[in-house]
Amino acid sequence: MAMRELVTGGAACAVPGTSGSSNPLGALTDALIGSSSKNKERLREIPTATTTTSDGNFFAGTEEPFAALPGTEFEHPLQPNAQGSEFLQGFRSADQNRFADAWDEIQRPQIPHSLGRDSITNIPLEHGPPQRVLSSFLHSFVHSGHGSIPFRPTSLPVLGLSEGDKQCIRDRSSIMARHFFADKSEDFINTQVNALLSSLDIDNDVRSRGPMPGRLPELEEYWNESQGMKFGPYATDGWVTEFSQRQIEHNDPNAWVQSFERQHGANGWATEFEHEQSQLASIDQMRGANISSLAAMEHTRKLAHTLAQNNDPKFQNSKFLQFVSKMSRGEITIEDNQIKQATISAPGDWAAEYQQQYSGGQTWADQFVNEQHSHGQGWVNEFAAERELHGSVDGEWVNEFSKLHVNDWAEEFEHQVAEGVLGESAGDNWANAYDEYLNEQVALKQNSESSRGVYVFSDLNPYVGHPNPLKEGQELFRKGLLSESVLALEAEVLKNPDNSEGWRLLGIAHAENDDDQQAIAAMMRAQEVDPTNLEVLLALGVSHTNELEQAAALKYLYSWLRHHPKYGTIAPADQSDNLYYADVARLFNDAAKISPDDADVHIVLGVLYNLSREYDKAIEAFQTSLKLKPRDYSLWNKLGATQANSVQSADAILAYQQALDLKPNYVRAWANMGISYANQGMYEDSIRYYVRALSMNPKADNAWQYLRISLSCASRNDMLEACDSRNLDFLQKEFPL
Amino acid sequence: MPVFKTPFNGYSVKFSPFYESQLAVATSQNFGILGNGRLHVLQLNPTITEITSFDTADGVYDLCWSESHDSLLIAAVADGSLKIYDLSLPPTSNPIRSLHEHAREAHGVDFNTVRKDSFLSASWDDTVKLWTVDRPTSVRTFKEHAYCVYSAAWNPRHADVFASASGDCTVRIWDVREPGSTMILPAHEFEILSCDWNKYDDCIIATASVDKSIKVWDVRNYRVPVAVLNGHGYAVRKVKFSPHKMSAIASCSYDMTVCLWDYMVEDALIGRYDHHTEFAVGVDISVLVEGLLASTGWDELVYVWQHGMDPRAP
């Protein structure tokens, strides 16, 4: 019997007591036919016969499109057999090359780096590579399980993580943490994961939690659960935090609690759920012709029994917890009002979902036929019986499922709370954890907002009122007294806010002092005052490269070129809004041809090649410019950072050493040196360099974080307290250089 | 014994079934939590040199060699895609296929060694999918697990039978000719990260779990395990039966060691290698050279050594 016939026609498919569009089978039919026709479209787009490889043999299988593999038939609703192969035959007689080309085209964009999350591999030239920072940070996270080192939240430099990146970190670290910390308590695991996430500022934009699946994810979960799987330890998957993270987007944190209270007593869903379970049980019985499935059922029932006996509130809530653990993987997104609309299920969707879940990949039709054979009683009758079990009238179950919107889980939770299943203490814990989390987030958020793009002046500046603070600042800068120099220059720009040189030097002092936020803020002020200052433009280009902001970096580097007296002509003005990396790189290569002895052009090229991760070329460019400017210590530092990023940490140390020989008070190079040692696993050495950097600028927050990571990697937990209290004297005695 | 340094963290290593001196390594940046991936194809001669490598936009968690074409490799990528590479083509023509159906991270791939025309992928989207190299869409999806599926392994004797290991604490045995799983093995109390079939007895399967143990089961009588192998100090990440000795098993673990076991003797642990300095997450046993082992880990190193030797020996 052909699939379509079976589904659309025939008295066998009629369900007693159903009719119209709310008829579930009608919906199922729609879904199946709908999906077949959709699939035809897909086949058209992605032909199977191609010539993309040198070896035609791989595609021998296409001669018998769907018959070759056993089990294929189980996917029939998704791969219409007859139509499919007919279609393919017709297609193969058509212009094959064109299809092959189309297929190639579809495949081509898969070239690495042209897609996906690029940002993380971008490179900071001035301070430690975020990639490496992140790597060390994740390293200490991963190893915090050994020896129970508490992994504390720290504030990391801005790493430029995209929402997709954050989602990956969040989901993957939650899943992986349960592997590495196997013998630790759930609390421990949750603490670790939360510390990681909050340090990376991963939390509050819940909309980014993952592509919203087309169908009803939560419905799928309910079905899975009602199948009665064994609940693993992951079920207690840090739901408290997960849940609170999810909830952030409810503007008022209390709203969640209130909504529970309002809905108190609404336990309709729970009843519904029981019905579904009994329904499934009977389906299982019906299917249970083979022994293993009976065994599975027995296991399931035993488990359910055990769960019911267990007084542990965690177990009592395990369905809920499992649901929440799904959330931890970003599969469910709660969007308050918006999602409600999205989840009012179309009957067709439900039908498809049901069909999939129910048969585990088996087609409804096969199931139907099997059941007809193996039992006197067909699926249809069973189905009808189940409907009676619900005691519902026509199509009502469809509606019931439509009601399963996101808030239902909340209702269930509330219901369980109402029944005291969770216990008082659990509820309180949850509330406390949630509050704590919220406070933490608010604090973090304020922190990061205040520091971005706005220059923050020091209090109590002794140089205010100085007759010539600029000269003083320049002098201090030359001597390498960066922190003092910063104060003097601040006094200068307070006095003369339009002095671009004051702002520029202030920016450079901050950059060398390992404070990028302030450096960018100062440089932006300098650029406001003097929009064409080449040094400022170059510095901003480099800073934005460090901050992983490719578009901004390109903008400044391009405008450097445009305002340059020698190269202004090769850079057309009309392009400046819409820059592509390749164009900018080409222009700078042209510029390098015009004047091969201009070190600045090679520096910019080095920066650009860092943006595109062509480290070998970047190293070459920096080395060329070093031949022209061998005494530029910041250039040696750039070379070092690039070498570190291209996994040549040993070379990087030599470059940093050059920078330090030229400028012994170069805090950033000391810190970078530490990073390079840490990258090579020489944590003891890295600690000495961090401590040295910090002794010169105790305000370098990043270096404190790196130091902390190295201390825990070197198993010097005894020194963590000194680090946390920023006791430099103690640290310097312990780690002399 | 030769060592190879990869820029990213090692995730999986597999010997070529065609050439005794070829192997491939799947790697991921930042422990696979975030960043790019790279697939290395390596040559033993007798030091390890790189023949070629392929970059991906997300970490590569696993790989398998085709059993029918010596130049084909399949990578399981953390973005959920499976990418097929042909070593006989220049890197610009690769990958020759990118199969993207899994909704979440693809964590395991295994090529059918009997039919040699199809492969399986296991994903964190709770499903296993059946594919052939010549089709742009999967042949079938097996969706019964209630949590991440970490690995799937074909039975070495029956072309249509495979097992899948999942975080839902079960291993399921499937026959692709059947609509659903044919057996559910509640093998551990904790997540199960890996499983493999005995190469000499088609009813024996080993499972590796977060509970630090490896269990060996006879699927005809699965109430009690045939053997429980304790010795790893942390979650056991991969388990692999020897192609040469019936009762030999290799495993690697988050305790940073690679262990060799003989499940039939009382003191089952017959070798422990602690050469890795980070989690050991990939291990393989050569089919073509008896006793040749390979391992990789998050210390970004790939080791190849003969059983009984020190992997670090120069």
Side-chain angles (χ1 to χ4, degrees):
Chain A
M1 204 186 321
M3 188 62 214
R4 178 177 288 261
E5 219 179 320
L6 185 70
V7 175
T8 52
C13 291
V15 176
T18 58
S19 65
S21 61
S22 64
N23 175 346
L25 271 183
L28 185 60
T29 308
D30 291 346
L32 291 178
I33 291 177
S35 74
S36 342
S37 58
K38 241 184 257 156
N39 198 251
K40 225 156 86 180
E41 287 298 315
R42 282 173 74 194
L43 287 173
R44 190 180 321 214
E45 286 162 14
I46 309 175
T48 50
T50 65
T51 52
T52 46
T53 85
S54 58
D55 187 345
N57 290 340
F58 308 153
F59 306 109
T62 49
E63 297 305 317
E64 324 158 66
F66 290 107
L69 264 122
T72 318
E73 64 276 14
F74 296 118
E75 296 276 310
H76 273 188
L78 297 172
Q79 296 202 330
N81 194 345
Q83 293 120 309
S85 54
E86 248 171 63
F87 173 78
L88 278 175
Q89 267 155 22
F91 145 78
R92 233 173 290 155
S93 59
D95 181 357
Q96 197 164 339
N97 286 337
R98 217 149 42 91
F99 286 115
D101 290 347
W103 169 245
D104 276 352
E105 219 165 286
I106 293 161
Q107 295 300 303
R108 263 318 117 67
Q110 301 294 339
I111 289 163
H113 299 316
S114 65
L115 10 110
R117 302 180 309 280
D118 281 353
S119 63
I120 190 57
T121 42
N122 278 343
I123 302 312
L125 298 174
E126 291 294 327
H127 66 69
Q131 177 192 327
R132 287 287 162 176
V133 173
L134 182 64
S135 181
S136 307
F137 185 66
L138 292 173
H139 187 278
S140 71
F141 166 71
V142 160
H143 282 154
S144 56
H146 297 264
S148 300
I149 308 160
F151 180 79
R152 302 235 196 123
T154 53
S155 67
L156 285 180
V158 177
L159 293 173
L161 299 175
S162 72
E163 291 309 322
D165 293 337
K166 291 181 176 185
Q167 189 197 331
C168 279
I169 293 180
R170 187 176 160 287
D171 296 352
R172 291 175 188 173
S173 62
S174 308
I175 289 175
M176 289 180 186
R178 279 165 182 79
H179 303 168
F180 348 121
F181 305 138
D183 56 348
K184 299 290 191 299
S185 69
E186 270 302 314
D187 287 346
F188 178 85
I189 296 174
N190 294 336
T191 315
Q192 302 288 311
V193 174
N194 294 342
L196 174 79
L197 297 180
S198 64
S199 299
L200 294 169
D201 195 20
I202 297 175
D203 50 81
N204 36 21
D205 190 357
V206 195
R207 271 159 302 174
S208 67
R209 275 303 137 68
M212 174 96 107
R215 280 184 262 178
L216 297 175
E218 69 279 14
L219 186 55
E220 191 174 322
E221 302 318 325
Y222 282 122
W223 275 107
N224 276 343
E225 278 150 33
S226 53
Q227 303 259 15
M229 295 305 169
K230 183 171 180 177
F231 301 116
Y234 58 84
T236 51
D237 208 350
W239 61 272
V240 167
T241 340
E242 289 311 327
F243 181 66
S244 42
Q245 288 182 355
R246 291 291 170 185
Q247 286 298 319
I248 288 289
E249 69 174 34
H250 291 261
N251 292 332
D252 176 3
N254 292 326
W256 184 84
V257 177
Q258 284 163 4
S259 84
F260 272 166
E261 278 159 12
R262 254 184 276 125
Q263 290 165 0
H264 185 85
N267 57 359
W269 184 85
T271 325
E272 200 62 45
F273 191 78
E274 278 164 26
H275 277 291
E276 299 314 326
Q277 282 203 310
S278 52
Q279 177 185 343
L280 271 156
S282 58
I283 289 172
D284 265 355
Q285 265 156 7
M286 184 182 72
R287 295 174 70 191
N290 65 38
I291 287 164
S292 63
S293 136
L294 272 175
M297 225 172 65
E298 190 187 18
H299 171 69
T300 306
R301 223 185 283 124
K302 239 191 276 168
L303 187 81
H305 185 70
T306 316
L307 286 178
Q309 299 279 304
N310 196 324
N311 287 327
D312 184 349
K314 280 183 176 176
F315 275 90
Q316 286 289 345
N317 283 291
S318 57
K319 286 188 194 74
F320 172 68
L321 291 174
Q322 193 179 33
F323 180 62
V324 173
S325 88
K326 295 282 184 174
M327 292 169 71
S328 79
R329 289 188 283 155
E331 294 182 359
I332 299 165
T333 309
I334 293 169
E335 296 253 29
D336 200 21
N337 292 331
Q338 288 155 308
I339 203 167
K340 270 187 204 165
Q341 204 184 358
T343 55
I344 289 176
S345 66
D349 278 350
W350 180 82
E353 197 66 43
Y354 179 83
Q355 181 264 329
Q356 277 202 346
Q357 295 303 324
Y358 164 66
S359 57
Q362 184 185 19
T363 72
W364 177 84
D366 285 323
Q367 177 83 18
F368 182 76
V369 172
N370 287 347
E371 298 306 337
Q372 287 284 30
H373 286 303
S374 57
H375 302 267
Q377 183 188 34
W379 182 86
V380 168
N381 295 340
E382 192 66 36
F383 186 76
E386 283 155 22
R387 285 180 35 71
E388 278 161 29
L389 202 139
H390 277 263
S392 56
V393 286
D394 288 5
E396 196 187 306
W397 59 270
V398 171
N399 297 333
E400 279 163 0
F401 269 91
S402 311
K403 282 189 279 179
L404 274 183
H405 54 70
V406 178
N407 282 352
D408 282 328
W409 67 267
E411 285 173 29
E412 186 200 5
F413 183 69
E414 175 268 339
H415 173 63
Q416 284 170 339
V417 170
E419 290 184 346
V421 166
L422 221 120
E424 289 237 309
S425 60
D428 287 345
N429 286 345
W430 174 84
N432 292 340
Y434 181 48
D435 279 352
E436 269 171 40
Y437 178 77
L438 267 183
N439 294 337
E440 200 177 299
Q441 287 312 314
V442 167
L444 265 177
K445 184 124 184 142
Q446 282 171 347
N447 216 349
S448 66
E449 274 173 8
S450 67
S451 58
R452 189 91 184 137
V454 178
Y455 192 86
V456 183
F457 286 95
S458 312
D459 296 332
L460 299 174
N461 187 338
Y463 293 92
V464 172
H466 193 284
N468 190 348
L470 179 61
K471 189 158 175 291
E472 186 69 26
Q474 285 167 330
E475 188 66 13
L476 289 164
F477 182 83
R478 209 165 39 76
K479 288 183 191 155
L481 300 168
L482 291 173
S483 301
E484 283 295 296
S485 158
V486 162
L487 290 174
L489 292 167
E490 283 184 0
E492 169 64 25
V493 297
L494 281 170
K495 197 168 136 194
N496 303 314
D498 290 340
N499 182 347
S500 91
E501 179 58 16
W503 282 112
R504 187 188 73 83
L505 202 55
L506 184 56
I508 289 175
H510 276 302
E512 295 194 359
N513 229 354
D514 217 21
D515 190 342
D516 259 311
Q517 296 288 335
Q518 288 280 77
I520 286 188
M523 282 297 181
M524 282 169 71
R525 295 293 296 270
Q527 204 233 351
E528 272 171 35
V529 181
D530 182 0
T532 62
N533 184 308
L534 295 178
E535 283 171 277
V536 170
L537 290 171
L538 185 55
L540 278 168
V542 172
S543 295
H544 282 287
T545 305
N546 284 348
E547 296 291 302
L548 309 161
E549 293 156 356
Q550 174 161 349
L554 288 177
K555 189 180 96 184
Y556 288 115
L557 294 176
Y558 183 79
S559 88
W560 182 88
L561 198 66
R562 223 161 64 72
H563 294 297
H564 198 286
K566 260 195 259 175
Y567 317 116
T569 48
I570 60 171
D574 55 346
Q575 268 190 9
S576 53
D577 283 341
N578 204 1
L579 292 167
Y580 292 101
Y581 165 76
D583 295 335
V584 179
R586 185 175 43 75
L587 288 174
F588 273 94
N589 271 312
D590 292 348
K593 276 178 210 144
I594 293 174
S595 52
D597 291 339
D598 187 340
D600 286 347
V601 173
H602 293 286
I603 295 173
V604 176
L605 272 172
V607 174
L608 281 168
Y609 287 130
N610 265 288
L611 270 181
S612 63
R613 288 175 301 274
E614 295 168 90
Y615 303 123
D616 292 347
K617 285 187 185 173
I619 290 170
E620 205 181 308
F622 286 136
Q623 280 169 343
T624 308
S625 48
L626 273 168
K627 278 183 199 135
L628 301 163
K629 274 189 175 179
R631 297 194 57 79
D632 185 335
Y633 54 85
S634 76
L635 200 43
W636 283 108
N637 183 56
K638 287 186 180 73
L639 176 65
T642 310
Q643 286 169 326
N645 285 331
S646 76
V647 209
Q648 304 171 9
S649 286
D651 293 345
I653 284 173
L654 294 178
Y656 293 140
Q657 192 59 57
Q658 291 280 358
L660 288 174
D661 288 348
L662 290 164
K663 182 162 176 132
N665 285 356
Y666 196 179
V667 174
R668 185 158 266 183
W670 287 108
N672 278 349
M673 195 83 122
I675 291 171
S676 274
Y677 278 112
N679 285 347
Q680 295 177 82
M682 299 151 82
Y683 297 111
E684 283 275 353
D685 293 290
S686 72
I687 292 168
R688 297 175 201 285
Y689 283 93
Y690 292 142
V691 171
R692 168 61 77 90
L694 287 165
S695 68
M696 287 186 277
N697 179 20
K699 286 186 199 163
D701 285 347
N702 292 339
W704 282 110
Q705 311 305 345
Y706 306 148
L707 174 62
R708 195 171 203 290
I709 290 167
S710 274
L711 284 170
S712 48
C713 289
S715 308
R716 291 305 303 266
N717 298 336
D718 53 317
M719 300 305 288
L720 288 179
E721 203 187 309
C723 175
D724 291 342
S725 59
R726 303 203 165 183
N727 186 345
L728 263 174
D729 290 342
F730 192 60
L731 288 164
Q732 277 177 292
K733 271 184 206 126
E734 187 69 23
F735 302 105
L737 192 63
Chain B
M1 297 283 105
V3 182
F4 183 79
K5 172 98 171 93
T6 55
F8 300 156
N9 304 105
Y11 249 82
S12 180
V13 59
K14 300 276 171 76
F15 285 103
S16 160
F18 292 92
Y19 306 109
E20 60 183 43
S21 61
Q22 231 174 62
L23 69 161
V25 186
T27 67
S28 303
Q29 202 173 14
N30 295 321
F31 314 105
I33 293 177
L34 185 69
N36 300 37
R38 190 172 292 168
L39 190 64
H40 300 268
V41 182
L42 307 175
Q43 180 85 30
L44 289 166
N45 57 352
T47 60
I48 307 181
T49 49
E50 181 175 283
I51 299 172
T52 184
S53 68
F54 304 105
D55 285 319
T56 54
D58 207 335
V60 189
Y61 283 173
D62 197 17
L63 74 105
C64 68
W65 292 87
S66 162
E67 296 285 336
S68 56
H69 293 83
D70 59 358
S71 64
L72 279 196
L73 268 173
I74 296 148
V77 185
D79 63 10
S81 68
L82 305 166
K83 299 201 190 292
I84 307 182
Y85 295 92
D86 186 344
L87 303 181
S88 65
L89 295 176
T92 46
S93 315
N94 274 305
I96 57 167
R97 283 281 189 283
S98 181
L99 306 165
H100 206 153
E101 287 185 22
H102 283 299
R104 302 195 51 83
E105 288 79 353
H107 196 264
V109 277
D110 193 44
F111 212 93
N112 192 316
T113 52
V114 182
R115 291 179 54 96
K116 299 183 192 290
D117 62 348
S118 53
F119 62 97
L120 293 168
S121 61
S123 163
W124 290 5
D125 68 5
D126 306 356
T127 70
V128 175
K129 283 176 187 275
L130 172 64
W131 311 80
T132 63
V133 281
D134 55 346
R135 258 171 255 198
T137 57
S138 62
V139 178
R140 262 194 83 179
T141 301
F142 303 89
K143 182 164 175 56
E144 282 185 26
H145 281 296
Y147 195 68
C148 304
V149 189
Y150 295 111
S151 81
W154 288 106
N155 186 293
R157 190 157 307 169
H158 303 285
D160 302 311
V161 176
F162 71 91
S164 57
S166 162
D168 69 6
C169 309
T170 68
V171 162
R172 281 167 195 258
I173 315 285
W174 309 76
D175 184 322
V176 298
R177 297 163 297 190
E178 299 291 328
S181 61
T182 52
M183 184 178 294
I184 301 168
L185 193 62
H188 294 263
E189 297 292 315
F190 287 83
E191 293 193 62
I192 304 170
L193 302 181
S194 174
C195 62
D196 194 35
W197 295 91
N198 190 300
K199 309 306 174 207
Y200 295 85
D201 183 337
D202 55 9
C203 293
I204 300 285
I205 188 166
T207 57
S209 165
V210 166
D211 70 9
K212 309 172 192 175
S213 75
I214 297 163
K215 292 185 185 175
V216 183
W217 305 85
D218 186 324
V219 293
R220 292 162 297 196
N221 174 20
Y222 59 84
R223 304 223 170 262
V224 190
V226 176
V228 180
L229 311 177
N230 287 309
H232 277 300
Y234 278 88
V236 187
R237 179 55 186 268
K238 283 211 177 81
V239 63
K240 187 97 192 167
F241 267 105
S242 163
H244 299 287
K245 184 167 187 257
M246 184 198 167
S247 57
I249 293 174
S251 63
C252 60
S253 158
Y254 286 111
D255 69 4
M256 309 185 191
T257 69
V258 171
C259 287
L260 280 178
W261 313 81
D262 183 333
Y263 76 87
M264 295 210 179
V265 301
E266 197 168 333
D267 289 325
L269 182 60
I270 53 175
R272 180 194 291 274
Y273 299 98
D274 60 353
H275 51 293
H276 283 290
T277 56
E278 301 275 346
F279 298 156
V281 294
V283 68
D284 196 26
I285 310 179
S286 170
V287 178
L288 302 171
V289 183
E290 188 164 350
L292 193 64
L293 299 164
S295 70
T296 188
W298 288 5
D299 55 6
E300 304 169 350
L301 293 172
V302 181
Y303 290 90
V304 178
W305 75 101
Q306 196 68 32
H307 172 50
M309 312 281 276
D310 179 358
R312 276 167 305 199

